[in-house]
Amino acid sequence: MVTMGQCYYNETIGFFYNNSGKELSSHWRPKDVVVVALGLTVSVLVLLTNLLVIAAIASNRRFHQPIYYLLGNLAAADLFAGVAYLFLMFHTGPRTARLSLEGWFLRQGLLDTSLTASVATLLAIAVERHHSVMAMQLHSRLPRGRVVMLIVGVWVAALGLGLLPAHSWHCLCALDHCSRMAPLFSRSYLAVWALSSLLVFLLMVAVYTRIFFYVRRRVQRMAEHVSCHPRYQETTLSLVKTVVIILGAFVVCWTPGQVVLLLDGLGCKSCNVLAVEKYFLLLAEANSLVNAAVYSCRDAEMRRTFRRLLCCVYFRGSSHDSIRYLPSERTAASTRIILPENGHPLMDSTL
């Protein structure tokens, strides 16, 4: 019998799952196998892709700029997310029942911390791009110390939000507040997490919208003083494409999960959130793979660095290393659109 105000620190995982009405399987179901197979595939791709991004930023001195420090932090957060999701895949299905309460909180805490760090870094990148574009610089001149403090702030916030449920924001002493998707978490925690992610998205929309209208006004002003070169129109179209990709990727990957988290956090009894939670979590994890493509792979210099690293690995030990390596060094630099008024690059592919 459940008593109000009583804490259940010595109960099993099954006790809390039964309390929330979430099924705890004792054998591998086809659904579990599909989720684990997809999860392992996504996790491995996330790990390999973001390791490549980190290696490229570390090895190329041209990337030792504030925006690339933030891109490196995004890759590190997504790498951490890949590790956390991989840990989840090895401790899900029938294995969930064998977890201790501490093990369950560790499993969820790793995931929440890594995903929070990834989302917070996306906002930091948007702010840095806004600062750079408004100053008409290709790369921000923010002091390195300030960028480091920004990165530290991201991880402090992520660790705080990820560790809170294990220490206080749980429902071990208030079973009627337990969520269905995460039976040891308080529903209020899920609601706050979902709303904070939604707030980040709205801030990103505001920042990139302001960037778009600022650049469009500047392009129109330039067109009034010089002959209308096709590249001015290409600049605006490229900017629209970049903004749509950035915000679209975030919406596609995060919105479904945020909606079910919010519904569960608000205590919607008629909402069948358990039927889709695993797939929406997988979609959110896939964002860690999409980030590498959206923020790093669209940069021409980054792609050349990728090719150089992959060629060095593939042809290591070959006597023809230098012959195969030289052409990539002579590849033309990525096209940058220059404003005649002051000579500063208008934008680049890392926007």
Side-chain angles (χ1 to χ4, degrees):
M1 180 178 178
V2 177
T3 305
M4 293 298 292
Q6 181 180 350
C7 294
Y8 299 87
Y9 295 109
N10 296 323
E11 294 292 345
T12 63
I13 293 296
F15 172 83
F16 293 97
Y17 274 64
N18 289 334
N19 173 71
S20 295
K22 185 173 184 179
E23 183 181 1
L24 193 59
S25 60
S26 58
H27 60 280
W28 287 101
R29 300 166 297 182
K31 173 185 175 181
D32 297 326
V33 174
V34 170
V35 170
V36 170
L38 290 174
L40 290 175
T41 302
V42 171
S43 296
V44 171
L45 290 175
V46 167
L47 293 175
L48 294 177
T49 304
N50 286 286
L51 278 173
L52 185 60
V53 172
I54 292 172
I57 293 174
S59 64
N60 192 333
R61 293 178 61 87
R62 295 183 182 180
F63 295 149
H64 295 179
Q65 303 284 345
I67 180 60
Y68 291 105
Y69 296 154
L70 292 174
L71 289 176
N73 189 65
L74 177 63
D78 288 335
L79 181 68
F80 184 21
V83 172
Y85 199 76
L86 197 63
F87 184 81
L88 172 64
M89 291 299 97
F90 284 110
H91 297 84
T92 191
R95 295 170 182 159
T96 301
R98 298 198 291 268
L99 289 172
S100 63
L101 297 187
E102 293 78 11
W104 191 93
F105 278 120
L106 174 64
R107 187 186 77 171
Q108 300 303 126
L110 289 174
L111 204 58
D112 292 346
T113 299
S114 60
L115 293 178
T116 301
S118 180
V119 171
T121 305
L122 292 178
L123 179 59
I125 290 173
V127 172
E128 192 280 341
R129 288 288 77 191
H130 179 271
H131 180 274
S132 298
V133 170
M134 294 302 149
M136 297 310 297
Q137 299 167 355
L138 178 60
H139 298 302
S140 172
R141 294 181 182 177
L142 287 173
R144 292 188 180 183
R146 189 174 300 178
V147 175
V148 171
M149 290 300 297
L150 184 60
I151 292 173
V152 170
V154 165
W155 284 102
V156 168
L159 286 170
L161 200 57
L163 295 177
L164 266 178
H167 293 86
S168 59
W169 213 341
H170 52 66
C171 63
L172 302 188
C173 300
L175 296 184
D176 56 327
H177 293 163
C178 290
S179 70
R180 286 190 290 163
M181 292 174 57
L184 277 69
F185 283 0
S186 172
R187 289 195 304 272
S188 61
Y189 173 78
L190 297 190
V192 168
W193 204 97
L195 289 174
S196 63
S197 298
L198 177 61
L199 177 61
V200 167
F201 172 70
L202 293 177
L203 290 173
M204 287 173 60
V205 170
V207 169
Y208 283 117
T209 299
R210 188 164 191 269
I211 290 175
F212 169 73
F213 283 112
Y214 175 81
V215 173
R216 191 179 71 167
R217 285 196 307 270
R218 193 149 184 96
V219 168
Q220 291 173 344
R221 192 178 305 124
M222 291 299 98
E224 294 175 357
H225 300 287
V226 297
S227 58
C228 188
H229 195 282
R231 280 193 177 180
Y232 288 114
Q233 185 177 3
E234 292 174 9
T235 299
T236 304
L237 293 176
S238 177
L239 182 58
V240 171
K241 180 180 177 181
T242 300
V243 171
V244 168
I245 290 174
I246 289 173
L247 298 179
F250 192 93
V251 169
V252 170
C253 293
W254 280 102
T255 301
Q258 290 173 354
V259 170
V260 295
L261 281 175
L262 189 58
L263 290 175
D264 192 19
L266 295 177
C268 179
K269 300 296 184 182
S270 60
C271 305
N272 192 14
V273 295
L274 297 179
V276 294
E277 55 149 347
K278 294 183 183 295
Y279 302 105
F280 287 172
L281 177 59
L282 178 61
L283 188 60
E285 174 61 24
N287 186 243
S288 295
L289 180 61
V290 173
N291 284 340
V294 172
Y295 288 90
S296 296
C297 295
R298 297 184 72 246
D299 185 286
E301 180 68 22
M302 185 73 77
R303 291 196 300 271
R304 285 196 293 274
T305 306
F306 288 163
R307 287 195 294 268
R308 176 169 61 82
L309 290 173
L310 293 175
C311 286
C312 286
V313 171
Y314 185 77
F315 294 111
R316 180 171 293 173
S318 169
S319 59
H320 301 289
D321 274 356
S322 59
I323 297 177
R324 297 180 183 272
Y325 173 82
L326 286 175
S328 65
E329 292 296 313
R330 293 194 295 265
T331 304
S334 57
T335 301
R336 294 174 183 171
I337 300 170
I338 307 297
L339 293 180
E341 183 180 68
N342 56 16
H344 287 304
L346 180 65
M347 60 174 291
D348 70 334
S349 57
T350 60
L351 179 62

